[in-house]
Amino acid sequence: MADEVVDLEVARQKMRQWRDEPLRNSEEVTELGECLILEHGNKLGDELWTIYEQVFLASIDCRKMDLATMCLRELKAQFPSSIRVQKLNAMRLEAFDKYEEAEQIYEKILEAEPANAVVRKRLVAILKAQNRVGEAIKELNEYLKKFMSDQEAWTELAELYISQQDHKKAKYCMEELILMNPHNHLFHQRYAEILYTLGGNENMEKARKYFAQALKLDNNSMRALFGFFMAAAHLTNSSKDAKAKKENSKFAAWSATQINERYQSVSQAQEEDNLLKLENMLESLQIAIPQNIPPQ
């Protein structure tokens, strides 16, 4: 009996931890959550319903639809008129590709709760799932008029614009994200990548600087380091100004050295192959690898 109580408390704490963090560990949530419900459901009190919802969402993620249906059935029985449960029902319909029925439920919820941000985002998800990208972009823009500080929504909108090759609008989205969270290296890195894609020396110069900022915020980012190298190398070859050409050549050489050093930590076989590729790339760009020069 003592062991059973310990098992119950350990499992409850684990489920709470996963809810609070939160981690996308849906397989673990479904396995532990199902055992907790079946073996200790009568001892969980009101927390039982929170766990049912947690397991439902994880089950949808894992496509364990029988378990999801069981959880939803119990929640419906306990909260027959709950808007929150209606939302879960619509998500289950989405999982079965019943988008029209799900959309009807969401629209009804919005009539009662026009400011329900989660439901508005679910409508965007439905449009995406049906490959109605233009409509998804329009819906997300309307959403952001009301919820301007939603970083997840700005990130999603940027990716939708990129999927449509509209990099100028994606650039604006990333500028908003950097203003909201200037210490997130991923925002600086993504912004730099968009600038690099737009091309032109002015954008390339900005891209190099934002890759450098991403590196300062996370000096382990190989993607930012490669981006910094590529932007500097491009400017080395395209700049007409001798001073700018020399400066960018130094930056490219510094980043090439950093890439070289980091590859030396991989296995010998991989190292030889990667170094050969790097040497060929540098040779084609006519860049030497001298002493360390930090990015600016």
Side-chain angles (χ1 to χ4, degrees), residues 30 34 37 51-76 85 88-93 95-96:
T30 55
E34 185 177 13
I37 290 167
I51 292 172
Y52 265 125
E53 182 178 9
Q54 186 180 4
V55 174
F56 169 85
L57 294 171
S59 301
I60 292 288
D61 202 21
C62 298
R63 302 297 298 179
K64 295 181 179 179
M65 301 312 298
D66 289 342
L67 180 58
T69 300
M70 183 274 286
C71 292
L72 184 61
R73 184 177 63 246
E74 296 299 324
L75 287 165
K76 277 183 175 180
V85 174
L88 298 180
N89 185 33
M91 290 177 69
R92 179 179 172 275
L93 290 169
F96 285 109

Side-chain angles (χ1 to χ4, degrees), residues 229 232-238 245-246 248-250 252-253 256 278-290:
F229 167 74
H234 177 91
L235 288 165
T236 298
N237 292 331
S238 63
K245 186 182 287 288
K246 183 178 179 181
N248 282 293
S249 178
K250 290 180 180 179
L278 178 61
E279 287 169 4
N280 291 337
M281 180 167 58
L282 295 176
E283 186 179 346
S284 69
L285 294 167
Q286 297 182 332
I287 294 173
I289 307 181

Side-chain angles (χ1 to χ4, degrees), residues 170-225:
K171 172 175 167 283
Y172 171 78
C173 295
M174 296 313 302
E175 288 168 349
E176 290 292 318
L177 284 165
I178 290 171
L179 285 173
M180 284 187 272
N181 192 348
H183 302 296
N184 188 320
H185 77 278
L186 293 173
F187 293 162
H188 291 273
Q189 180 180 293
R190 197 71 175 119
Y191 184 56
E193 290 170 349
I194 292 169
L195 289 167
Y196 187 95
T197 302
L198 284 169
N201 279 7
E202 185 178 346
N203 284 325
M204 205 64 67
E205 184 74 25
K206 288 181 181 177
R208 193 206 72 202
K209 291 178 180 178
Y210 276 92
F211 279 127
Q213 183 62 21
L215 273 173
K216 287 179 181 178
L217 294 169
D218 179 14
N219 57 21
N220 292 317
S221 174
M222 284 300 294
R223 185 160 174 163
L225 182 57

Side-chain angles (χ1 to χ4, degrees), residues 6-235:
V6 170
D7 290 344
L8 168 61
E9 288 307 314
V10 169
R12 290 176 79 168
Q13 288 301 323
K14 200 69 180 173
M15 295 293 284
R16 288 170 186 168
Q17 178 189 339
W18 288 337
R19 287 198 299 273
D20 292 341
E21 287 182 347
L23 296 171
R24 192 182 178 90
N25 51 343
S26 302
E27 286 287 348
E28 293 92 333
V29 170
T30 55
E31 289 175 15
L32 183 59
E34 185 177 13
C35 290
L36 196 54
I37 290 167
L38 295 177
E39 296 178 18
H40 305 293
N42 60 340
K43 301 172 189 173
L44 293 170
D46 289 340
E47 190 178 4
L48 172 64
W49 310 111
T50 303
I51 292 172
Y52 265 125
E53 182 178 9
Q54 186 180 4
V55 174
F56 169 85
L57 294 171
S59 301
I60 292 288
D61 202 21
C62 298
R63 302 297 298 179
K64 295 181 179 179
M65 301 312 298
D66 289 342
L67 180 58
T69 300
M70 183 274 286
C71 292
L72 184 61
R73 184 177 63 246
E74 296 299 324
L75 287 165
K76 277 183 175 180
Q78 182 68 17
F79 308 103
S81 58
S82 166
I83 285 180
R84 190 162 175 163
V85 174
Q86 290 175 36
K87 183 198 74 175
L88 298 180
N89 185 33
M91 290 177 69
R92 179 179 172 275
L93 290 169
E94 283 186 66
F96 285 109
D97 297 337
K98 296 181 179 179
Y99 299 121
E100 188 174 339
E101 293 177 46
E103 194 170 349
Q104 288 173 359
I105 293 173
Y106 290 140
E107 293 291 355
K108 188 173 288 187
I109 291 173
L110 287 176
E111 288 176 11
E113 296 183 356
N116 193 313
V118 174
V119 168
R120 290 191 177 278
K121 287 163 86 171
R122 291 311 315 162
L123 286 171
V124 174
I126 286 176
L127 293 170
K128 275 185 63 184
Q130 296 176 294
N131 202 31
R132 294 156 62 186
V133 179
E135 293 173 68
I137 288 172
K138 183 179 178 181
E139 187 71 31
L140 205 44
N141 272 299
E142 288 300 315
Y143 170 86
L144 283 166
K145 289 178 183 178
K146 300 178 178 68
F147 306 96
M148 293 186 66
S149 61
D150 190 330
Q151 294 184 32
E152 184 183 58
W154 280 110
T155 304
E156 180 65 34
L157 184 58
E159 294 304 320
L160 287 175
Y161 279 133
I162 289 170
S163 73
Q164 299 301 294
Q165 304 296 309
D166 196 341
H167 292 93
K168 287 185 178 179
K169 289 181 180 177
K171 172 175 167 283
Y172 171 78
C173 295
M174 296 313 302
E175 288 168 349
E176 290 292 318
L177 284 165
I178 290 171
L179 285 173
M180 284 187 272
N181 192 348
H183 302 296
N184 188 320
H185 77 278
L186 293 173
F187 293 162
H188 291 273
Q189 180 180 293
R190 197 71 175 119
Y191 184 56
E193 290 170 349
I194 292 169
L195 289 167
Y196 187 95
T197 302
L198 284 169
N201 279 7
E202 185 178 346
N203 284 325
M204 205 64 67
E205 184 74 25
K206 288 181 181 177
R208 193 206 72 202
K209 291 178 180 178
Y210 276 92
F211 279 127
Q213 183 62 21
L215 273 173
K216 287 179 181 178
L217 294 169
D218 179 14
N219 57 21
N220 292 317
S221 174
M222 284 300 294
R223 185 160 174 163
L225 182 57
F226 267 110
F228 181 84
F229 167 74
M230 294 302 295
H234 177 91
L235 288 165

